[in-house]
Amino acid sequence: MAVGLGPLPTLHPVPGFELGIASAGIKRPGRKDVVVMRCAEGSSVAGVFTLNAFCAAPVILSKQRVQGTVRYLLTNTGNANAGTGAPGLAAAERTCAKLAELTGVPAESVLPFSTGVIGEPLPVEKIEGALQAALDNLSENNWAEAATGIMTTDTLPKGASRQFQHDGVTVTVTGISKGAGMIRPNMATMLGYIATDAKVAPKVLKDLMLDGANKSFNRITIDGDTSTNDCCMLIATGKANLPEVTEASGALFEALKKAVFDVCMEVAQAIVRDGEGATKFVTVQVNGGGNHQECLDVGYAVAHSPLIKTALFASDPNWGRILAAVGRAGVPELDVSLIDVYLDNVCIASQGGRSPSYTEAQGSAVMAQEEITIRIELGRGACSETIWTTDLSHEYVKINAEYRT
Amino acid sequence: MAVGLGPLPTLHPVPGFELGIASAGIKRPGRKDVVVMRCAEGSSVAGVFTLNAFCAAPVILSKQRVQGTVRYLLTNTGNANAGTGAPGLAAAERTCAKLAELTGVPAESVLPFSTGVIGEPLPVEKIEGALQAALDNLSENNWAEAATGIMTTDTLPKGASRQFQHDGVTVTVTGISKGAGMIRPNMATMLGYIATDAKVAPKVLKDLMLDGANKSFNRITIDGDTSTNDCCMLIATGKANLPEVTEASGALFEALKKAVFDVCMEVAQAIVRDGEGATKFVTVQVNGGGNHQECLDVGYAVAHSPLIKTALFASDPNWGRILAAVGRAGVPELDVSLIDVYLDNVCIASQGGRSPSYTEAQGSAVMAQEEITIRIELGRGACSETIWTTDLSHEYVKINAEYRT
């Protein structure tokens, strides 16, 4: 069902960052469900984490540990270790301690990540039993396998890669992500890992991660349900033979920033393209807002409206539902006579009603496409925001009604 | 598909309030789609209207005119006259003027109401052509026919009636409503009409309407999409031989208030029971909040979560999704260790994780019911709020994907 999402692009290895995949049999025997990632000594690491108050045990632990030295990231699928209370925290600590013991690093340098069903006890022994196989499998060339290893209801693996040259040195940024449901990231997506061989000062890396996530992961929504397990990590190994990147690095900083943002955007949009039951990839663009918050309020009212999402699924240009969503978004003193609404470049509504030039045939032609932009011009100011989302299909209901069966 | 909603109960006539139904053939020839209601001279009338900024032309007009003397309410289904700009306003005025001409009242005493598809021009001539037949049909005994005449995607008509005695005089309160989708009323529901033969001072009637709507219509949600056309009207004809009711009327005021609130609640809940594709009637009760707003924020996060709604449809006690929704509701400094979550009286989660006493069999037994209460104890204070909603089924997607076809 994925919309405009093909096979993985070439994922260039990042010197100093290795990935190893193994099978712990958490949900099904033989399924690759454990991924270990090793960061070269001296790497700097930044992360953004869900703002859900019921955040999962691994999120609690990784949020603390990312402040110190990070050497390993340990990910399992099939079990979210969320809603598991104190025993869940102890379980996450045990799996990290085991990996630390096998590799001779401090336990605090291992960060855990989990995704899957909420509320079931983490099968610690199964995961521990798979760690040595994952370590034996470590390689800089395993990005594609890792992208598959972190999937849950995803139908396709998701990854992106960029390279640029600076002073004759090639710098690589490669990332992978997973997620298809319970997707309205708030500071990060379900799971995302992005690595570069640039050397980056920790403060700069943190800002790059925050800004990158805000423009990409934090602007996608599938069902409005912010997950308990959202995490996105940015690792800089420093293996590229270049000086440390700071905001004063000029062209190098700008090139790295662009590469990181591009990878963030591509893997974040890939999550929407593979959204549960998605048949459409929808860009909601809100322009002319008096401030950014009102643009976001309008954008999310449209992106979350079940009535608009079912009309998108049906390819029905039922633009009245778009007006209704804009009107209920809570923007103070909204003057509907100033608002224009477009499907791609077709003006469907202006001055509070149907655009005089609009014909149903024009609207139907746009709605028949797999990729659609809904553009709302508020006519109040100069702020803009863009959100990416999907439609609501029979398949979405089917997937989520049968998730645990 | 309606949940726990049977045939209409007895709807007692309200002396001084007549209803007439006719067919204008707006969407289909022969369909009863025009309802005229006549209020006896001297009636007082109060109304609450949608807060959607894109409110429909009839809402704009009725909001103004309810301030003056009201004699007729004119309702059509099949066309919402919303998103129609200035021509829509003129069209609503024309239908009212025609009814005023036929009955010899000022045009300003006729209030229009429309429901149906957004964005299409109101078929003024068709409606005008049906008015005399509706007037000829006027009778105090036509509540049931009117309840049917205002339906759109509703599968069943909705009404409720109460009577009480005061000083040997019988007082009646009868109401009807319609609505099944685009339902998250904000000051009123899609359409609701409640009449009593008590004599009520306008200020008191307005307060009764506001309070009644806030506790009933404003606490139901089907899809979170606040409509452009929500209106609820309360009419007091004064035909019962009793003194005018004020807040100082003691037992009479209390009895009337209870009867009005009961009718509001019954017809509001009937809208949820007949929600598009509904297979469950769900009460979301949030207790122990520090203030009412945070109770509502948690309640609506749960009631609007597509993941919880699909789990309800599947009768799957996937309580992790409830925790996740509570956690993302935006309550400041939420201490998850204080939260308990119940399905009916089964404690499913406590202290941030699964309740020690909980078994899947208990949860499954509750989820198999048609009527379910999700109770969330926040442990922060003494405030409570209750919201009523439905599940999200295949049928919901089908109805809304095919609405205009």
Side-chain angles (χ1 to χ4, degrees), chain A residues 21 94 98 166 217 269 334 381 392:
Chain A
I21 301 92
R94 274 177 58 200
K98 180 70 182 181
H166 187 85
F217 296 112
Q269 292 191 353
L334 186 64
L392 171 57

Side-chain angles (χ1 to χ4, degrees), chain A residues 89-374:
Chain A
L89 210 56
E93 278 172 349
R94 274 177 58 200
T95 59
C96 292
K98 180 70 182 181
L99 185 61
E101 181 195 318
L102 291 172
T103 56
V105 301
E108 294 70 32
S109 71
V110 181
L111 274 55
F113 303 86
S114 298
T115 175
V117 180
I118 298 176
E120 292 180 5
L122 190 73
V124 174
E125 285 75 18
K126 284 185 178 176
I127 295 171
E128 286 180 343
L131 292 179
Q132 190 57 56
L135 289 171
D136 294 343
N137 184 246
L138 281 172
S139 158
E140 289 175 356
N141 295 309
N142 274 346
W143 280 97
E145 292 77 4
T148 304
I150 60 174
M151 286 165 58
T152 49
T153 55
D154 307 62
T155 68
L156 287 172
K158 298 160 186 72
S161 199
R162 295 289 186 280
Q163 288 188 320
F164 65 91
Q165 308 287 323
H166 187 85
D167 285 349
V169 176
T170 299
V171 178
T172 301
V173 179
T174 297
I176 56 176
S177 68
K178 65 81 50 184
M182 203 177 262
I183 297 289
R184 181 194 173 173
N186 194 347
M187 291 317 290
T189 184
M190 196 64 185
L191 291 179
Y193 305 93
I194 299 156
T196 177
D197 52 349
K199 188 171 180 60
V200 189
K203 166 77 175 68
V204 176
L205 196 71
K206 197 171 174 183
D207 288 349
L208 276 178
M209 178 78 280
L210 279 175
D211 290 356
N214 263 336
K215 290 192 167 52
S216 57
F217 296 112
N218 286 354
R219 292 293 177 270
I220 64 173
T221 182
I222 290 173
D223 46 23
D225 274 310
T226 303
S227 154
T228 50
N229 287 55
D230 294 341
C231 298
C232 188
M233 308 299 295
L234 177 60
I235 301 101
T237 65
K239 293 297 174 192
N241 189 20
L242 285 169
E244 183 171 79
V245 181
T246 71
E247 291 186 19
S249 302
L252 175 57
F253 173 74
E254 293 304 327
L256 180 67
K257 182 176 164 181
K258 180 171 188 326
V260 169
F261 282 20
D262 281 358
V263 169
C264 282
M265 190 63 92
E266 191 169 333
V267 295
Q269 292 191 353
I271 289 174
V272 177
R273 291 178 186 282
D274 197 22
E276 287 174 345
T279 74
K280 299 280 163 92
F281 177 80
V282 184
T283 302
V284 182
Q285 200 183 330
V286 183
N287 298 329
N291 56 59
H292 286 276
Q293 192 55 51
E294 68 186 32
C295 294
L296 291 173
D297 289 345
V298 168
Y300 281 117
V302 170
H304 290 151
S305 161
L307 291 172
I308 296 174
K309 290 169 101 79
T310 46
L312 285 162
F313 170 53
S315 301
D316 176 7
N318 192 333
W319 54 271
R321 293 180 178 175
I322 301 175
L323 293 195
V326 173
R328 72 169 167 86
V331 176
E333 292 168 36
L334 186 64
D335 181 352
V336 301
S337 74
L338 299 177
I339 297 177
D340 295 326
V341 180
Y342 293 80
L343 288 178
D344 282 8
N345 288 319
V346 174
C347 183
I348 53 173
S350 59
Q351 303 186 320
R354 176 152 56 178
S355 167
S357 63
Y358 175 72
T359 64
E360 184 90 358
Q362 293 174 319
S364 295
V366 177
M367 290 295 268
Q369 299 165 186
E370 278 199 336
E371 308 208 2
I372 297 165
T373 296
I374 299 173

Side-chain angles (χ1 to χ4, degrees), chain A residues 52 225 316 324 328 360 404, chain B residues 52 225 316 324 328 360 404:
Chain A
N52 193 309
D225 274 310
D316 176 7
R328 72 169 167 86
E360 184 90 358
R404 300 204 313 168
Chain B
N52 193 309
D225 275 308
D316 176 7
R328 72 170 167 84
E360 185 90 356
R404 301 204 313 168

